[in-house]
Amino acid sequence: MKLLLTLLCTTISLIVENTGDTQRQEVVEANLQTVCQQLGVDIDDPLIVKNAFGQEVTYQKTYDGKLLLHVAVQPHSEAVFTITKGTPSSFKSFVQGKVYPERADDITWENDRGIYRVYGPALQRSGERSFGTDVWVKNTPELVVEQRYQMHMWGVGQRDSLKRIGKAEEANEIYMATSFHHDHGYGLDCYGVGPSLGCGAPALLENGQLRFPYCYKTYRILDNGPLRFTVELTYGTTDDGITEHRLISLDRGSHFNRMTVWYDGIKEPKAFTTGVVLHSEDHLLLGKNYVLYADPTDNPKVHQFQIYVATLFPQGVDKTIKFEGTPSHGLGVVSSYKGEPYTYYFGSAWSNYDVRTFAQWQLTADDYLQHLKNPLTIRI
């Protein structure tokens, strides 16, 4: 009997249940401390997770005590995983991000669906006015950002060297063949940000004007794959003593980042807002709890494709509006905001990848909001 009890304690089952009517593929969270207590191991001990076939699957331990798995569960069904103590195989990473000091200390992160970028102190010192979140499109599940930066920076150096010796035509050919602003078969950067929110950055709305932060002041990368990337950003204190904080995470398989934002130093309620910059008057859809837009890219006559962007508000907003500023935006607005943590989602897709039309983008957003409202359940 004692031996049997010992054997039973070395393996636990984690059951993920889908009570809804639709197929689900997503990252789920279990409480890491609970899992380890059930196994009788320490939180830092390595684990082996297997699916119902007995195949080892990727997992991740997060900075805030979660055990992550990427699951697929049919409607009204459940998926069963077993967890034991042991040294796992090496995992393929589906999510990754880092700081790129060679490119004005961008923080750029990606998953198997899309790529996002925010700008840091080096860019602010240069005087370039880019405030919001950038989007790079991709049409491959592979991680490509590192390769794009390396190729782009090498090409810029070669271009500039050729220009200095009067070889302008060759310089342009090198740049065209290496720049991440051109598609080399797996995507590019062709989304315009500038002095705007870009895709999903937050701002305060005062006296009919968006009050933008500039670039991040400090950062901490808290999770870095294989299933989730998380970064915490702090923005500089303004003249009236307000400091902005952002916590952003992106999971494998998701078109949407999770953003929690909060402010220190707000003394009186203000209007809080977030949304997407508008580069044309077409294809903006304002719903009760979302802003959806089909961006025409920075060169629509040449590209002839669309970048779908969105902000989603599962906590709700007081209104969604088309903001007639310079530039204009589609916004969700919380009218009386005191600086407390507020969570929303922002994201993107590309018509040359897995979301072909704006109608499909609307369905994607609707499904995501529904899934947030009705999460998969986990039993140990």
Side-chain angles (χ1 to χ4, degrees):
M1 177 64 75
K2 186 177 291 186
L3 176 61
L4 177 59
L5 289 174
T6 301
L7 289 172
L8 287 173
C9 290
T10 60
T11 302
I12 64 171
S13 293
L14 189 147
I15 302 165
V16 183
E17 185 178 9
N18 177 8
T19 60
D21 297 328
T22 60
Q23 174 72 25
R24 302 284 288 267
Q25 285 92 218
E26 61 202 68
V27 171
V28 297
E29 302 175 346
N31 185 289
L32 178 60
Q33 185 174 12
T34 301
V35 169
C36 291
Q37 285 176 345
Q38 293 284 335
L39 282 172
V41 301
D42 294 332
I43 285 180
D44 293 331
D45 286 339
L47 304 173
I48 294 174
V49 183
K50 294 183 178 181
N51 62 20
F53 279 115
Q55 293 174 301
E56 196 171 342
V57 299
T58 302
Y59 71 87
Q60 180 179 339
K61 298 177 181 180
T62 68
Y63 82 98
D64 55 349
K66 303 293 194 303
L67 178 69
L68 306 183
L69 298 177
H70 185 265
V71 304
V73 195
Q74 291 182 358
H76 303 288
S77 186
E78 58 186 31
V80 180
F81 300 86
T82 58
I83 306 176
T84 59
K85 180 182 177 181
T87 302
S89 303
S90 59
F91 296 144
K92 175 181 178 178
S93 190
F94 297 89
V95 184
Q96 185 174 300
K98 62 177 282 188
V99 177
Y100 290 87
E102 65 270 31
R103 221 308 305 185
D105 54 31
D106 298 348
I107 297 178
T108 308
W109 66 98
E110 66 178 314
N111 67 358
D112 47 333
R113 303 292 180 175
I115 303 170
Y116 304 88
R117 174 168 64 158
V118 293
Y119 306 102
L123 188 88
Q124 184 164 334
R125 287 193 297 270
S126 76
E128 181 179 338
R129 293 169 58 80
S130 288
F131 302 159
T133 309
D134 193 16
V135 171
W136 293 5
V137 294
K138 62 189 293 188
N139 57 1
T140 171
E142 302 303 317
L143 300 178
V144 298
V145 165
E146 186 81 25
Q147 177 186 354
R148 287 195 195 183
Y149 270 110
Q150 290 176 355
M151 187 167 67
H152 178 87
M153 298 310 297
W154 179 86
V156 167
Q158 293 296 306
R159 177 199 64 185
D160 293 347
S161 296
L162 289 167
K163 280 186 174 181
R164 283 193 293 269
I165 59 176
K167 296 185 176 181
E169 185 174 343
E170 291 181 33
N172 184 62
E173 289 176 357
I174 287 284
Y175 184 75
M176 290 281 288
T178 58
S179 172
F180 55 49
H181 294 293
H182 298 282
D183 186 9
H184 308 295
Y186 52 88
L188 69 160
D189 170 24
C190 57
Y191 180 72
V193 180
S196 78
L197 298 179
C199 177
L204 299 175
L205 184 59
E206 295 182 322
N207 301 318
Q209 297 293 322
L210 288 172
R211 177 173 171 173
F212 299 107
Y214 210 140
C215 299
Y216 73 81
K217 183 179 180 182
T218 63
Y219 75 93
R220 289 194 303 154
I221 293 177
L222 304 175
D223 296 314
N224 206 355
L227 298 176
R228 174 174 294 171
F229 172 83
T230 305
V231 62
E232 183 178 13
L233 303 168
T234 301
Y235 286 75
T237 303
T238 60
D239 292 340
D240 54 357
I242 296 176
T243 303
E244 180 187 296
H245 306 271
R246 304 178 191 176
L247 186 66
I248 305 171
S249 63
L250 179 65
D251 288 352
R252 173 189 174 183
S254 179
H255 286 289
F256 298 100
N257 296 260
R258 186 180 193 267
M259 166 83 84
T260 298
V261 60
W262 67 99
Y263 294 81
D264 299 329
I266 292 182
K267 298 179 176 61
E268 297 179 355
K270 298 181 180 294
F272 167 82
T273 188
T274 182
V276 298
V277 64
L278 305 180
H279 295 119
S280 73
E281 299 301 313
D282 302 323
H283 305 298
L284 171 65
L285 183 60
L286 301 174
K288 179 181 178 181
N289 53 0
Y290 59 67
V291 173
L292 307 180
Y293 179 57
D295 191 278
T297 80
D298 60 4
N299 195 338
K301 290 185 178 181
V302 172
H303 292 309
Q304 293 296 318
F305 51 70
Q306 294 179 316
I307 305 171
Y308 304 122
V309 291
T311 48
L312 312 179
F313 310 110
Q315 288 186 221
V317 288
D318 294 311
K319 57 184 176 180
T320 56
I321 62 171
K322 182 181 178 184
F323 177 72
E324 300 288 357
T326 304
S328 58
H329 287 77
L331 298 177
V333 181
V334 178
S335 300
S336 183
Y337 174 71
K338 300 178 181 178
E340 67 278 3
Y342 179 82
T343 297
Y344 64 95
Y345 294 77
F346 69 92
S348 67
W350 188 24
S351 64
N352 276 4
Y353 193 20
D354 57 346
V355 177
R356 297 292 188 176
T357 67
F358 192 48
Q360 188 179 351
W361 182 231
Q362 183 178 358
L363 290 173
T364 302
D366 288 338
D367 282 347
Y368 196 83
L369 284 166
Q370 189 65 26
H371 293 169
L372 290 172
K373 187 178 179 180
N374 299 285
L376 298 173
T377 59
I378 294 177
R379 305 194 311 276
I380 296 173

